[in-house]
Amino acid sequence: MTIKLTDVAKLAGVSPTTVSRVINNYGYLSQKTIDKVNQAMEELNYQPNSLARSLQGKGTKLIGLIFPSVANPFYGELIETMENYLFEKGYKVILCSSADNKEKERDYLRMLTANKVDGIIAGAHNLGIAEYEKVGLPIVAFDRFLSDSIPIVSSDNYAGGKLATEMLYQSGARKIAILTGTNQSDSPTNSRLQGYLEAIQHYELEALVFDCLPDMSKNLKALTIQKLLKNEEADGIFCTDDLTAVLVMNEAKKIGLAVPEQLKVIGYDGTRFIQDYFPQLSTIRQPIADCAMLLVNLLIQRIETKEELLEENYTLPIKYVKGDST
Amino acid sequence: MTIKLTDVAKLAGVSPTTVSRVINNYGYLSQKTIDKVNQAMEELNYQPNSLARSLQGKGTKLIGLIFPSVANPFYGELIETMENYLFEKGYKVILCSSADNKEKERDYLRMLTANKVDGIIAGAHNLGIAEYEKVGLPIVAFDRFLSDSIPIVSSDNYAGGKLATEMLYQSGARKIAILTGTNQSDSPTNSRLQGYLEAIQHYELEALVFDCLPDMSKNLKALTIQKLLKNEEADGIFCTDDLTAVLVMNEAKKIGLAVPEQLKVIGYDGTRFIQDYFPQLSTIRQPIADCAMLLVNLLIQRIETKEELLEENYTLPIKYVKGDST
């Protein structure tokens, strides 16, 4: 919980106005009062500077972005777009790359709270709900359920998973597998799997679900893919992210499987990067710019109006982008 | 120039100790003294919080990273690695993506100075020397000449350009072109071109220099590449970054040129990303982790010891990584 001005006032046994005067050196103050307030601030471990700012009603104009990685083109593009919007609105970005590391994410939450950022946009997913709830700062989440009071922005993962599977079916695939990038049931990304299962059931096909998790090494991922291609004889693969789809195409090439003739592949994300450098890949495109703008606008709304009455879920539409892999 | 405590003291006509007392509410102070100091602080536009911190001898523990883009995997990986080292050392990162935009870079420099970051690591290259010199903060540069007093960390661009050209020659290419990602003569990256020219002269070949600049659209780059492949009939191309090399390979495929049989291609950077997802590309690998660690260590050394006696240039060795494109 964030310590407030009133907490200092209460402990010092003075009015909030007096605390404000001590900090800003306004008006008449006895040495006794000054000492009492300073002692209370020390006891509560209050930083005079952040106090001074919040007393003036000014924020720090710093926003913390907690995401698993910037080296991944999807997060890189999302972060860059958010940073651009935030810059236009006078905010600077503190970058927290949580690296799928619980301890680092926890440390960052503590540092951000102590440093008094004005708010947080979080797309990481290591920590439980409790730790995000106790931060006491405006937060919005990208594609992650963090807490009942934290709104989520995401693309329509369910529709995306369903559409990807339908497109594989329509291009002729009948043994359609999914390579999922998450096994967390509380993540909206999991809805991509639900959409896949729905379509599989509709077409009366057999579900083939394989994990290809972010914390798996590249070699481990390659092994999973090889097993899927050789043992399962899948003729269509839906990967819940584009990079895994690129790995599938590389592995298929290695063993002489022709894409799309023998194997259809579809990814998910559709970054500008993938469109520029892997135009051959068919994919489900998330509206990254829209997600970025909405995340920033929701956060600023929360910061400026202190409104908690935001809708819980904001789901943005996805699009199928056809390459040469389906 | 950063305004110092002594500037406030001088303007207020009091001792630095008195200024410190006013800010921290220590000891006896007459209202007249308090007013004088506050007035001086206001006139100099001094933020009490940053003052308070610098008086306590503590920095803000914030570092500004100014780079063209995080959506580019090379910068993404470099930034992520620096952020990791900085985190371990108790520093947080303010991300400034300058987007090849002079105005934005200038605004960021101003914001960073006003926000009192402890230092800056800069890899952007829009602004002239003068603007970096007047910042008055510890700065180190990646691969960019910013000012005589700012040390540069880079990979051995000259050796890299020479080695890339030699590898193309040794794999049989005789009409070797270069696609350069910079036309700035004061950028160390330009040394890659010098290394290429040196090798071309050594082998008594004709130099074929083409620009493929970061601000060119993807279609414009594709046009340049098509022209090079069709009109110049190059049988070897050295691209000064890996992403351009990927575009070359895509364009070659489109017109049915076999790589490496008819066309040898070599890139530059060798990110983990390229090694994982484009393992077929031969490249010159920069030691990204070493660059990141050195940049961070040099900056912290500058911050903590205020030493200006750092070497001007730190050049780290490169490596040839053979894929299937040479």
Side-chain angles (χ1 to χ4, degrees):
Chain A
M1 213 196 66
T2 313
I3 290 155
K4 294 193 210 77
L5 171 69
T6 46
D7 299 321
V8 177
K10 204 171 166 186
L11 186 63
V14 300
S15 72
T17 315
T18 304
V19 177
S20 165
R21 279 186 179 154
V22 170
I23 291 153
N24 293 291
N25 277 317
Y26 286 131
Y28 173 77
L29 294 162
S30 73
Q31 194 58 46
K32 199 178 149 197
T33 306
I34 293 172
D35 291 345
K36 271 198 296 187
V37 172
N38 282 337
Q39 204 185 325
M41 277 163 51
E42 208 170 301
E43 248 181 82
L44 294 170
N45 193 21
Y46 223 157
Q47 299 300 317
N49 53 328
S50 47
L51 244 185
R53 281 187 171 175
S54 36
L55 282 166
Q56 291 158 21
K58 289 176 201 163
T60 55
K61 292 287 175 186
L62 290 172
I63 302 293
L65 300 188
I66 306 184
F67 281 81
S69 166
V70 277
N72 171 305
F74 176 74
Y75 291 121
E77 193 168 318
L78 184 66
I79 289 168
E80 181 151 307
T81 314
M82 289 191 290
E83 187 257 4
N84 274 320
Y85 286 132
L86 285 165
F87 177 78
E88 281 171 20
K89 293 176 183 291
Y91 288 89
K92 287 178 295 296
V93 158
I94 293 191
L95 179 68
C96 311
S97 157
S98 63
D100 292 316
N101 175 332
K102 249 183 217 237
E103 274 316 307
K104 197 176 173 199
E105 189 172 338
R106 187 174 290 129
D107 279 358
Y108 258 129
L109 274 182
R110 271 196 218 114
M111 284 163 79
L112 290 177
T113 312
N115 225 62
K116 301 272 185 260
V117 296
D118 289 351
I120 293 174
I121 300 176
H125 49 127
N126 304 304
L127 297 180
I129 295 167
E131 312 205 42
Y132 272 91
E133 277 191 331
K134 77 180 174 203
V135 168
L137 281 172
I139 305 184
V140 295
F142 175 71
D143 229 5
R144 299 285 180 266
F145 179 76
L146 293 177
S147 145
D148 281 335
S149 61
I150 296 176
I152 304 172
V153 171
S154 54
S155 73
D156 194 338
N157 291 296
Y158 177 80
K162 198 158 162 269
L163 184 58
T165 315
E166 286 165 0
M167 291 299 113
L168 287 171
Y169 186 87
Q170 281 180 27
S171 66
R174 291 297 176 268
K175 203 153 184 208
I176 302 176
I178 183 170
L179 273 169
T180 63
T182 177
N183 56 358
Q184 295 180 301
S185 59
D186 60 347
S187 162
T189 311
N190 197 46
S191 308
R192 293 179 200 166
L193 172 61
Q194 298 310 318
Y196 160 83
L197 291 172
E198 166 73 25
I200 287 291
Q201 198 179 13
H202 172 79
Y203 293 126
E204 299 180 347
L205 301 176
E206 186 199 351
L208 288 170
V209 181
F210 283 73
D211 283 338
C212 211
L213 307 177
D215 57 358
M216 278 164 69
S217 76
K218 196 226 150 198
N219 287 334
L220 216 54
K221 284 185 182 176
L223 269 181
T224 304
I225 293 166
Q226 282 159 20
K227 190 181 162 232
L228 174 55
L229 294 179
K230 285 178 189 162
N231 302 359
E232 302 293 338
E233 296 176 339
D235 60 1
I237 302 182
F238 164 39
C239 303
T240 61
D241 71 275
D242 286 336
L243 297 184
T244 303
V246 171
L247 289 184
V248 168
M249 286 169 77
N250 289 347
E251 291 302 322
K253 201 178 171 188
K254 266 191 215 163
I255 61 169
L257 263 180
V259 174
E261 294 79 3
Q262 295 168 280
L263 178 71
K264 286 115 179 61
V265 182
I266 189 165
Y268 201 105
D269 285 343
T271 53
R272 200 194 153 91
F273 181 83
I274 284 289
Q275 286 172 62
D276 279 357
Y277 298 101
F278 285 101
Q280 63 273 30
L281 180 67
S282 296
T283 188
I284 303 295
R285 189 200 292 167
Q286 302 199 58
I288 299 182
D290 292 343
C291 289
M293 194 181 267
L294 187 56
L295 285 162
V296 167
N297 287 344
L298 286 174
L299 185 67
I300 290 180
Q301 197 182 325
R302 285 206 136 190
I303 291 169
E304 291 181 354
T305 67
K306 316 268 178 211
E307 279 273 352
E308 295 280 334
L309 297 168
L310 301 168
E311 270 182 63
E312 207 172 292
N313 282 294
Y314 297 81
T315 308
L316 295 166
I318 44 77
K319 250 189 187 162
Y320 171 58
V321 182
K322 200 194 163 327
D324 307 322
S325 66
T326 48
Chain B
M1 216 196 64
T2 312
I3 289 156
K4 294 195 209 75
L5 171 69
T6 46
D7 301 320
V8 177
K10 205 171 165 186
L11 185 63
V14 300
S15 71
T17 315
T18 304
V19 177
S20 165
R21 280 186 179 154
V22 170
I23 291 153
N24 293 291
N25 277 317
Y26 287 131
Y28 174 76
L29 293 161
S30 74
Q31 195 58 46
K32 200 178 149 195
T33 306
I34 294 172
D35 291 346
K36 271 198 296 188
V37 171
N38 281 336
Q39 204 184 326
M41 276 165 50
E42 207 171 303
E43 247 180 84
L44 295 170
N45 193 23
Y46 221 157
Q47 300 298 317
N49 55 327
S50 46
L51 245 184
R53 282 189 171 174
S54 34
L55 281 166
Q56 291 159 22
K58 290 176 201 163
T60 56
K61 292 287 177 184
L62 290 171
I63 301 294
L65 301 188
I66 306 184
F67 281 81
S69 168
V70 276
N72 171 305
F74 176 74
Y75 290 121
E77 192 167 321
L78 184 66
I79 288 169
E80 181 151 309
T81 315
M82 289 191 292
E83 187 258 3
N84 274 321
Y85 286 132
L86 285 165
F87 177 78
E88 280 170 20
K89 292 176 183 292
Y91 287 90
K92 285 178 297 297
V93 157
I94 293 191
L95 179 68
C96 312
S97 157
S98 64
D100 293 318
N101 176 333
K102 249 184 217 237
E103 274 315 308
K104 198 176 173 199
E105 189 171 339
R106 187 173 289 128
D107 279 357
Y108 259 128
L109 275 182
R110 271 195 218 114
M111 283 162 80
L112 290 177
T113 313
N115 224 62
K116 302 270 185 262
V117 295
D118 289 351
I120 293 174
I121 300 176
H125 49 126
N126 305 302
L127 297 180
I129 296 166
E131 312 204 43
Y132 272 91
E133 277 191 332
K134 76 180 174 202
V135 168
L137 281 172
I139 305 184
V140 296
F142 175 71
D143 229 5
R144 301 284 180 267
F145 179 75
L146 293 177
S147 145
D148 281 335
S149 61
I150 296 177
I152 304 172
V153 171
S154 53
S155 74
D156 195 339
N157 291 296
Y158 177 81
K162 196 157 163 270
L163 183 59
T165 315
E166 286 165 1
M167 291 300 112
L168 288 171
Y169 186 88
Q170 281 180 28
S171 64
R174 291 297 176 267
K175 200 149 186 210
I176 302 175
I178 182 171
L179 273 169
T180 62
T182 179
N183 55 358
Q184 296 180 300
S185 61
D186 59 348
S187 161
T189 311
N190 197 45
S191 308
R192 293 178 200 168
L193 172 61
Q194 298 310 318
Y196 160 83
L197 291 171
E198 167 72 25
I200 287 291
Q201 198 179 13
H202 172 79
Y203 293 125
E204 299 181 347
L205 300 176
E206 186 198 350
L208 289 170
V209 181
F210 284 74
D211 283 338
C212 211
L213 307 177
D215 57 357
M216 279 164 69
S217 77
K218 195 228 151 196
N219 286 333
L220 214 57
K221 283 185 182 176
L223 270 180
T224 304
I225 293 165
Q226 282 160 19
K227 190 180 163 231
L228 174 56
L229 294 179
K230 285 178 188 163
N231 303 358
E232 302 294 338
E233 296 174 341
D235 61 359
I237 302 183
F238 164 39
C239 304
T240 61
D241 71 275
D242 285 336
L243 296 185
T244 303
V246 171
L247 288 184
V248 167
M249 285 170 77
N250 288 347
E251 291 302 322
K253 201 178 170 189
K254 267 191 213 162
I255 60 169
L257 263 180
V259 174
E261 295 78 4
Q262 295 167 281
L263 177 71
K264 287 116 179 58
V265 182
I266 190 165
Y268 201 104
D269 285 342
T271 54
R272 200 195 151 90
F273 181 82
I274 284 289
Q275 286 172 63
D276 278 357
Y277 298 102
F278 287 100
Q280 63 272 32
L281 180 68
S282 296
T283 188
I284 303 296
R285 188 198 295 167
Q286 302 199 58
I288 298 183
D290 292 344
C291 288
M293 194 182 266
L294 188 54
L295 285 162
V296 167
N297 288 344
L298 286 174
L299 185 67
I300 290 179
Q301 196 181 327
R302 285 206 136 189
I303 291 169
E304 291 179 354
T305 66
K306 316 268 176 209
E307 279 274 352
E308 295 280 333
L309 297 167
L310 301 168
E311 270 182 63
E312 207 173 292
N313 281 294
Y314 297 81
T315 307
L316 295 166
I318 45 78
K319 251 192 186 158
Y320 172 58
V321 182
K322 199 189 163 332
D324 307 322
S325 67
T326 47

